[in-house]
Amino acid sequence: MRLGYQQFCLTGVLRVRSPDFKRLKLYIRIDQNKIFLAKKYTLKDLAQELNISISTVSKALNNSAEISEETQRKVLALAQLYHYRPNSTALRLRERRSNHIGVVLPDLVHHFFTTVFKGIEEYANARGFNVSVCFSDDSSQKEQDAINLLMDSGVDGIILSLAGETQQLKRWEYLQEITAQGTPVVMFDRATDQVLGDQVMIDDVQSAYKATQKLIEWGRSSIALLTTESYLSVNQDRQSGYQKALNDSSLSYDPARVLALPKSEVDPEALRQFFTDCPVDAVLCVNELIAVQAMHVVSSLGKRIPEDVAFIGYNNGMLSKYSYPSLTVVDQQGYLMGEKSAEVLIDKILSKTPLDTNKYVIPTTLVERDSTPNT
Amino acid sequence: MRLGYQQFCLTGVLRVRSPDFKRLKLYIRIDQNKIFLAKKYTLKDLAQELNISISTVSKALNNSAEISEETQRKVLALAQLYHYRPNSTALRLRERRSNHIGVVLPDLVHHFFTTVFKGIEEYANARGFNVSVCFSDDSSQKEQDAINLLMDSGVDGIILSLAGETQQLKRWEYLQEITAQGTPVVMFDRATDQVLGDQVMIDDVQSAYKATQKLIEWGRSSIALLTTESYLSVNQDRQSGYQKALNDSSLSYDPARVLALPKSEVDPEALRQFFTDCPVDAVLCVNELIAVQAMHVVSSLGKRIPEDVAFIGYNNGMLSKYSYPSLTVVDQQGYLMGEKSAEVLIDKILSKTPLDTNKYVIPTTLVERDSTPNT
DNA sequence: TTGTACGCGTTATCAT
DNA sequence: ATGATAACGCGTACAA
């Protein structure tokens, strides 16, 4: 075996000597002229090699005061040599805890969910938790499948934003089932009081109210709302806020100025029709996707943004930032929502307190860009 | 206990009778006037309730021919009543397999990774695998941490796209370590031959070559390349393809027409400077983010797109689709890459064949939009 | 100070 | 047809 010429992989068993271990067995693999261990070692392996019992090894590794310094030194040395890492599956079985949480998202198309997820992931990782994700694609059935897959895989808790269909059909038995078994659930952005779990929300009514009010302050008097057809509590709340702001001002709410678009694909013709029939000087959109497309249509109708028509959207994503003109948005601070959701869930998992419902409200901010007048 | 008036949660033990089970113990919880099980049941619970042994229950549930129809019927009935689901952690420990894969992504900012991830997730779920994700943020250290976290959690294999820093520093010992232990690794988009694992790639040289050629066919003669400073094999390959296409045509490669931007934030002033100093009639960009920003700058310089300057980018994401004008892009078909990566990994996990390196090339397509002339 | 025995939930092998 | 036992890897109460 001439290492110098070794080009590819090679595995074997090496017997070496060292002061602590008279004769040590090493499963190795040689790859790219470097030596790596070819095996995951267990307590048993360590115990056998050192001729002591498994429990002694275990105690030594866990800094038990019972173990002599000498023994501990040997154990730690060998563990390091072997790159010993406890088998987490065995630990899970024992502790009945997996340090693993599941996340169910409606999609990743909307930048909002991407940022929430990032927040969850980073916070959870920092606390040593793994994160598994599934998507519901806003389908109730897929949401249920996802939750089953996650639960079967043994997660300690679940963070989710309800699928649109679930909110519409009010079918959340499968969520009540898992909370009944004591698995904590945190809902963000789209939640229901019917499920026993914490909620991390933004104040959608309030944020839409303030955005609309802002448009009014800028002297806009005929303000449209572009929303989605599908039943989503958040969009309904935003509509309420919009309506309330109008009613609280000298203006009045006019249903003709509200356009509900199908969720799937936006038809530019529908937008063109709407803006032709109903001339407005400001538009509030429930997400950035709709906003950007509406801006294109309005531009193509020869109107200037923001001089003739001002736009405010939701979701502080790529589209808002890089659209032309760049879009003023209500930032839901997804990253914060994600962090908070993960924090609430992990705290509940670790504290093992009885499940209950707490509502956390994440503040929104208005990010002003070029689609609204300078202030 | 008057159910009719019950508003909130209540737990307790119920003793019921049924033909099969003389006296059945049910841990229940009443929530929103519905009854749910309050416990995860195990084989032991079933066995105790039926007064038979655990192994008989196990066999009955696994359709063993050894078990009498009568017994099996009873077991299945109770299992259904109890909503029995095998404890996956225990199974993992036994099978030494977790049906769980880990994914490490540089980020979710680029739509490309989002779609790859979606492909991975859907394919893996369809085959009953869970997916845990971590992000490297293009940092080598974070990548290593992520891999350790995933490996410690007991994933059966890992899919990753190398962090930029990792490719730059050529530090992949931690990857070689896990393949040495027999854990399969699949690299997509950003890979290295130094790690023993499969690669799912697009032909970056070829795709850039063809995109550039297309621009030449459209009669463009001074074609710029906007790339990133950071060392990324894909961007280097794209530059090679760009260069080759120029050299293969009557045009020639001019380094002054190549601008390498810092990865973090694009400075519009740098772009303005570049396009002022170096008038071009076409631009190839290594991603859509750069492309969209460059288009804004070029527009603001009074040039028309695509008449004066044509643009082709990479990544068929939201930005390309909804930018103005919409951007022609090389579509890397991230979803397909994700699916393929997951397929290759899961096949390797299940087949338990020795690790090796296979390269799979996913075809690219050119999605023509308004930033290039009609053909 | 060290070792033995047990249990976490499951399946497979080997009695009965 | 059914049951006892061992094993997967770990930690810990208890015995030596």
Side-chain angles (χ1 to χ4, degrees):
Chain A
M1 187 169 88
R2 293 177 302 176
L3 282 184
Y5 295 149
Q6 189 57 45
Q7 286 288 351
F8 297 107
C9 289
L10 189 80
T11 61
V13 180
L14 219 58
R15 298 198 166 276
V16 296
R17 285 172 178 287
S18 88
D20 277 335
F21 335 110
K22 40 208 148 185
R23 225 184 63 205
L24 197 101
K25 204 157 69 169
L26 267 182
Y27 295 85
I28 61 154
R29 179 183 193 108
I30 296 166
D31 189 0
Q32 308 284 344
N33 285 336
K34 279 175 281 186
I35 297 187
F36 298 98
L37 298 178
K39 184 183 186 319
K40 282 184 186 165
Y41 290 89
T42 67
L43 291 184
K44 204 183 192 176
D45 296 316
L46 298 184
Q48 274 176 356
E49 207 63 63
L50 294 167
N51 262 317
I52 56 177
S53 80
I54 294 179
S55 62
T56 305
V57 176
S58 171
K59 286 173 189 166
L61 289 172
N62 290 304
N63 276 319
S64 161
E66 293 177 0
I67 304 300
S68 72
E69 269 198 32
E70 171 65 7
T71 307
Q72 184 171 38
R73 202 181 51 71
K74 279 194 198 173
V75 171
L76 290 180
L78 187 59
Q80 190 166 19
L81 182 65
Y82 274 177
H83 289 193
Y84 170 78
R85 310 244 55 195
N87 178 315
S88 65
T89 306
L91 283 177
R92 288 182 193 191
L93 187 57
R94 222 187 162 284
E95 314 283 348
R96 279 182 217 68
R97 198 155 52 72
S98 61
N99 278 12
H100 210 118
I101 64 176
V103 177
V104 184
L105 302 175
D107 63 64
L108 274 186
V109 173
H110 292 92
H111 190 260
F112 169 62
F113 291 119
T114 309
T115 55
V116 174
F117 179 61
K118 195 108 203 308
I120 294 173
E121 206 272 341
E122 298 203 341
Y123 183 89
N125 279 5
R127 290 187 66 173
F129 274 68
N130 268 77
V131 181
S132 285
V133 211
C134 292
F135 301 102
S136 66
D137 292 329
D138 269 328
S139 139
S140 206
Q141 182 61 51
K142 280 198 185 180
E143 183 169 83
Q144 183 168 4
D145 292 345
I147 285 172
N148 285 339
L149 184 68
L150 290 171
M151 287 304 293
D152 277 352
S153 87
V155 295
D156 294 329
I158 283 186
I159 296 177
L160 88 165
S161 190
L162 291 173
E165 198 189 357
T166 303
Q167 284 201 318
Q168 190 168 13
L169 304 178
K170 301 185 189 303
R171 257 190 26 199
W172 27 58
E173 289 78 21
Y174 46 93
L175 283 169
Q176 294 168 329
E177 249 172 59
I178 66 174
T179 60
Q181 294 188 350
T183 304
V185 168
V186 172
M187 290 161 284
F188 72 87
D189 196 51
R190 308 177 184 175
T192 171
D193 289 333
Q194 301 290 307
V195 171
L196 184 68
D198 295 319
Q199 302 182 7
V200 178
M201 312 290 287
I202 64 167
D203 189 337
D204 279 295
V205 178
Q206 180 72 2
S207 67
Y209 184 91
K210 277 162 68 179
T212 308
Q213 208 174 35
K214 201 87 184 184
L215 290 169
I216 296 171
E217 277 173 28
W218 281 318
R220 308 296 161 137
S221 55
S222 65
I223 302 173
L225 173 71
L226 298 187
T227 180
T228 59
E229 271 176 5
S230 72
Y231 180 100
L232 275 184
S233 54
V234 288
N235 291 352
Q236 297 207 330
D237 287 346
R238 287 169 198 172
Q239 181 159 358
S240 301
Y242 159 82
Q243 192 166 342
K244 189 157 180 297
L246 292 179
N247 289 335
D248 284 0
S249 74
S250 52
L251 308 170
S252 66
Y253 170 71
D254 177 0
R257 295 212 183 92
V258 176
L259 178 63
L261 296 157
K263 200 179 181 212
S264 50
E265 197 67 20
V266 173
D267 175 18
E269 206 37 58
L271 284 174
R272 184 176 308 273
Q273 193 65 47
F274 176 77
F275 285 113
T276 310
D277 294 353
C278 166
V280 295
D281 54 17
V283 185
L284 179 65
C285 305
V286 296
N287 64 50
E288 62 176 2
L289 208 58
I290 291 179
V292 169
Q293 295 177 79
M295 286 204 298
H296 288 344
V297 168
V298 164
S299 293
S300 74
L301 288 175
K303 309 256 176 87
R304 289 164 308 164
I305 301 172
E307 293 81 356
D308 302 327
V309 185
F311 274 87
I312 296 183
Y314 272 78
N315 313 142
N316 187 14
M318 293 285 123
L319 283 176
S320 321
K321 195 166 172 190
Y322 297 109
S323 65
Y324 190 77
S326 58
L327 179 69
T328 294
V329 288
V330 176
D331 185 347
Q332 308 149 71
Q333 308 207 72
Y335 190 85
L336 285 183
M337 285 190 88
E339 279 190 325
K340 189 65 184 174
S341 303
E343 179 193 336
V344 169
L345 182 68
I346 292 177
D347 283 347
K348 192 143 283 181
I349 290 170
L350 297 180
S351 73
K352 295 180 179 169
T353 50
L355 303 188
D356 55 358
T357 292
N358 301 292
K359 301 193 185 191
Y360 303 89
V361 176
I362 303 293
T364 60
T365 60
L366 190 70
V367 179
E368 296 191 35
R369 297 207 182 90
D370 299 340
S371 68
T372 45
N374 280 329
T375 33
Chain B
M1 187 169 90
R2 294 176 301 176
L3 282 185
Y5 295 150
Q6 188 58 46
Q7 287 287 351
F8 296 106
C9 288
L10 189 78
T11 61
V13 181
L14 219 58
R15 297 198 167 275
V16 296
R17 286 172 176 287
S18 90
D20 278 334
F21 336 109
K22 40 210 149 188
R23 224 185 62 205
L24 198 100
K25 203 157 71 171
L26 266 183
Y27 295 85
I28 61 155
R29 178 183 194 108
I30 295 167
D31 189 0
Q32 308 284 344
N33 286 335
K34 278 175 281 188
I35 297 187
F36 299 97
L37 299 177
K39 183 184 186 319
K40 282 186 187 164
Y41 290 88
T42 67
L43 291 185
K44 203 184 193 176
D45 296 317
L46 298 184
Q48 274 177 356
E49 208 62 62
L50 293 167
N51 263 317
I52 57 178
S53 79
I54 294 181
S55 55
T56 304
V57 177
S58 171
K59 286 173 188 167
L61 289 172
N62 289 304
N63 276 319
S64 163
E66 293 176 0
I67 303 300
S68 73
E69 270 197 32
E70 172 64 9
T71 307
Q72 185 172 38
R73 202 182 50 70
K74 277 193 199 173
V75 170
L76 290 180
L78 187 59
Q80 192 167 19
L81 182 65
Y82 275 179
H83 289 194
Y84 170 78
R85 309 246 53 196
N87 177 315
S88 66
T89 305
L91 284 177
R92 288 183 192 191
L93 186 59
R94 244 192 90 75
E95 314 282 349
R96 278 179 218 71
R97 199 156 50 72
S98 62
N99 279 11
H100 211 117
I101 64 176
V103 176
V104 184
L105 302 175
D107 62 65
L108 273 186
V109 174
H110 292 93
H111 190 259
F112 170 62
F113 291 118
T114 310
T115 57
V116 174
F117 179 62
K118 195 107 202 305
I120 294 173
E121 205 273 341
E122 297 203 342
Y123 183 89
N125 278 4
R127 290 186 67 173
F129 274 69
N130 268 78
V131 181
S132 285
V133 211
C134 292
F135 300 102
S136 66
D137 292 330
D138 269 328
S139 138
S140 206
Q141 183 59 51
K142 280 198 186 179
E143 183 169 84
Q144 183 167 3
D145 293 344
I147 286 173
N148 285 340
L149 184 67
L150 291 171
M151 288 302 294
D152 277 353
S153 87
V155 295
D156 294 329
I158 284 186
I159 297 177
L160 88 163
S161 190
L162 291 172
E165 197 189 359
T166 303
Q167 285 200 319
Q168 190 167 13
L169 304 178
K170 299 185 191 304
R171 256 191 27 197
W172 26 60
E173 289 78 21
Y174 47 91
L175 284 170
Q176 295 169 329
E177 249 173 58
I178 65 174
T179 61
Q181 295 187 348
T183 304
V185 168
V186 172
M187 290 162 285
F188 73 86
D189 197 52
R190 308 176 182 176
T192 171
D193 289 334
Q194 302 290 306
V195 171
L196 184 68
D198 294 318
Q199 303 182 6
V200 178
M201 311 290 286
I202 64 167
D203 189 336
D204 279 295
V205 179
Q206 180 72 4
S207 67
Y209 184 91
K210 278 161 68 179
T212 310
Q213 208 173 35
K214 201 87 182 181
L215 290 169
I216 297 170
E217 275 173 29
W218 280 318
R220 308 296 162 137
S221 54
S222 66
I223 303 173
L225 173 71
L226 298 188
T227 180
T228 59
E229 271 176 3
S230 71
Y231 180 101
L232 276 183
S233 55
V234 290
N235 290 353
Q236 297 207 330
D237 287 346
R238 287 170 198 173
Q239 181 158 359
S240 302
Y242 158 82
Q243 192 166 344
K244 189 157 179 295
L246 292 178
N247 289 334
D248 283 0
S249 74
S250 51
L251 308 170
S252 67
Y253 170 71
D254 178 1
R257 295 214 184 90
V258 176
L259 178 62
L261 297 156
K263 187 152 199 237
S264 49
E265 199 61 24
V266 174
D267 175 19
E269 206 36 59
L271 284 174
R272 182 177 307 274
Q273 194 64 46
F274 176 77
F275 285 113
T276 309
D277 294 352
C278 165
V280 296
D281 54 18
V283 184
L284 180 65
C285 305
V286 297
N287 64 50
E288 61 175 4
L289 208 58
I290 292 179
V292 169
Q293 294 177 81
M295 288 203 297
H296 287 345
V297 168
V298 165
S299 293
S300 74
L301 289 174
K303 308 258 176 88
R304 290 163 308 161
I305 301 172
E307 294 81 356
D308 302 328
V309 186
F311 273 86
I312 296 184
Y314 271 77
N315 313 141
N316 187 14
M318 292 286 122
L319 283 177
S320 320
K321 196 167 172 189
Y322 297 109
S323 65
Y324 191 76
S326 58
L327 179 68
T328 295
V329 289
V330 176
D331 185 348
Q332 307 149 58
Q333 308 208 72
Y335 190 85
L336 285 184
M337 285 190 87
E339 280 191 324
K340 189 66 183 174
S341 303
E343 179 192 336
V344 169
L345 182 68
I346 292 177
D347 283 347
K348 192 142 283 179
I349 289 170
L350 297 181
S351 73
K352 295 180 179 170
T353 51
L355 303 189
D356 56 358
T357 293
N358 300 292
K359 300 193 184 187
Y360 303 89
V361 176
I362 303 294
T364 61
T365 60
L366 191 70
V367 179
E368 296 190 36
R369 297 207 181 90
D370 299 339
S371 69
T372 47
N374 280 329
T375 33

